[in-house]
Amino acid sequence: MDRLSCYVLLLLSFFCFRLDLSWSLETRFNRAPNNQASSDLANLVYHMGPVLSSPIKLYIIWYGNWNSTHQATIRDFLNSFSSPALSPSVADWWKTVRLYTDQTGSNISDSLSLSGEFFDSRLSNGVRLNRLSMQHIIKNAVTSKPSPLPLDPRSGLYLVLTSSDVQVDEFCRAVCGFHYFSFPSIVGATVPYAWIGYSGTQCPGVCAYPFARPLGAPPPSAMGGNDIMRPPNGDAGVDGMISVIAHELAESSSNPLVNAWYAGDNPIAPGEIADMCLGLYGSGGGGGYVGKVSTDAGGNGYNVNGVKGRRFLVQWVWDPVKKRCFGPNAMD
């Protein structure tokens, strides 16, 4: 993960979903080189910090003016973690994340429940945000009357989701999302949180790949046909956002206080369990190819199933037992 700029007074850095912008013109979702790890040098180490082993309560803060259809898609994804669905399922995908333990031997929880939502359509912190703004947004959500979100330092994981009309520093240029933990001096307690932005109108070619053509890529006619995968829920921005949410949930759970599971000697610039598998969604993936995934009759790509017959495409994560990137749709 790239080193991130920090606030000078805080002398702290935040972890982010790093982008690999070196997109290969050989990208196709129907052919593959045999490469299922983003790095042959992966050395994931446990640094004795906690993981989220208690039942995880997810609290969404909808920041900005959200499309209700997009909200429904995201809710259904989050409700799929602890609900039965056809295999391979979202819950099956989470089983790999659950393999990570803390120093007591406790695994990451198998229980993720959507436990509350807050609607900040009035843009309490304005339309232009930076990293520290996210903590002030959480503070507003847990203190606003008459219906604040609970401040839950034991089980809470807060998701700040920004809509298309909100600008976030580094969004589309360096990050699609990030995770960290709150400062008690701002929020009132230490809680893990993640921010993810909707990229559908701002940068689908950056944060909604493989559902949108990467910036700088030639038009389909120059590549012998249209190789862009269609989004399973009808919107490249929200379907791309789903995978970033999954990425941040995996890393928030395995490294919530930035002192648990990561690779590298520098905690300011670590490689976390999802960073190691960026761009991999199926067997044989690598070098710009997403891997072998399923497609329906309409050409919509997916690799896991969810509630209400939903389908999603989520990136793989590093399996600490198999020592490679893995997902429930793996062919081996």
Side-chain angles (χ1 to χ4, degrees):
M1 185 178 292
D2 297 330
R3 182 182 297 272
L4 302 176
S5 60
C6 63
Y7 297 98
V8 175
L9 295 178
L10 296 175
L11 297 178
L12 290 169
S13 294
F14 297 91
F15 292 154
C16 72
F17 174 76
R18 188 179 62 180
L19 297 174
D20 182 359
L21 300 180
S22 57
W23 182 78
S24 167
L25 296 184
E26 293 302 311
T27 300
R28 295 289 188 275
F29 56 87
N30 59 357
R31 71 186 195 191
N34 186 17
N35 176 17
Q36 291 175 209
S38 59
S39 173
D40 294 330
L41 303 176
N43 183 26
L44 204 65
V45 176
Y46 178 54
H47 295 82
M48 304 305 291
V51 300
L52 299 187
S53 56
S54 297
I56 300 168
K57 295 182 179 180
L58 300 173
Y59 299 102
I60 299 178
I61 301 171
W62 301 102
Y63 192 87
N65 297 295
W66 271 92
N67 178 301
S68 60
T69 300
H70 297 167
Q71 289 176 311
T73 302
I74 293 171
R75 286 191 194 99
D76 286 346
F77 175 67
L78 296 177
N79 284 325
S80 297
F81 279 90
S82 297
S83 301
L86 293 175
S87 185
S89 67
V90 175
D92 292 335
W93 179 87
W94 190 251
K95 290 177 181 178
T96 302
V97 179
R98 289 204 64 236
L99 294 173
Y100 291 88
T101 62
D102 63 17
Q103 58 185 304
T104 71
S106 298
N107 293 82
I108 291 174
S109 178
D110 64 349
S111 174
L112 290 84
S113 59
L114 180 52
S115 300
E117 300 179 54
F118 184 85
F119 301 87
D120 197 339
S121 58
R122 295 186 177 181
L123 303 166
S124 61
N125 281 258
V127 296
R128 297 194 64 87
L129 307 175
N130 57 36
R131 292 176 179 270
L132 198 58
S133 300
M134 305 307 163
Q135 299 203 32
H136 291 284
I137 290 171
I138 296 171
K139 177 183 179 180
N140 177 68
V142 299
T143 58
S144 290
K145 304 297 182 181
S147 301
L149 289 179
L151 183 57
D152 186 356
R154 176 175 173 77
S155 299
L157 174 53
Y158 295 77
L159 299 178
V160 180
L161 307 181
T162 52
S163 60
S164 60
D165 55 334
V166 178
Q167 303 289 321
V168 179
D169 286 356
E170 298 183 291
F171 184 40
C172 297
R173 295 183 296 107
V175 298
C176 297
F178 63 79
H179 77 91
Y180 202 59
F181 57 88
S182 66
F183 305 142
S185 59
I186 297 177
V187 176
T190 298
V191 294
Y193 71 89
W195 159 77
I196 303 95
Y198 175 81
S199 65
T201 55
Q202 295 188 39
C203 57
V206 177
C207 292
Y209 176 80
F211 302 122
R213 184 165 303 284
L215 298 176
S221 59
M223 302 177 67
N226 190 341
D227 69 323
I228 298 301
M229 190 182 298
R230 294 183 60 180
N233 296 285
D235 184 89
V238 76
D239 275 301
M241 192 176 183
I242 291 294
S243 189
V244 185
I245 291 173
H247 178 118
E248 299 302 340
L249 288 177
E251 294 186 342
S252 296
S253 299
S254 58
N255 198 28
L257 300 183
V258 196
N259 60 358
W261 288 96
Y262 62 86
D265 297 327
N266 186 355
I268 295 177
E272 298 178 282
I273 71 170
D275 294 325
M276 295 183 175
C277 305
L278 288 177
L280 298 179
Y281 299 84
S283 295
Y289 167 64
V290 301
K292 182 66 174 178
V293 301
S294 299
T295 54
D296 61 22
N300 304 302
Y302 66 97
N303 61 359
V304 291
N305 296 287
V307 298
K308 301 179 182 178
R310 291 274 196 184
R311 293 167 171 172
F312 306 101
L313 187 76
V314 296
Q315 70 148 94
W316 284 7
V317 295
W318 188 261
D319 187 312
V321 177
K322 294 180 173 63
K323 304 296 183 184
R324 63 183 176 92
C325 297
F326 187 77
N329 59 312
M331 300 176 68
D332 58 355

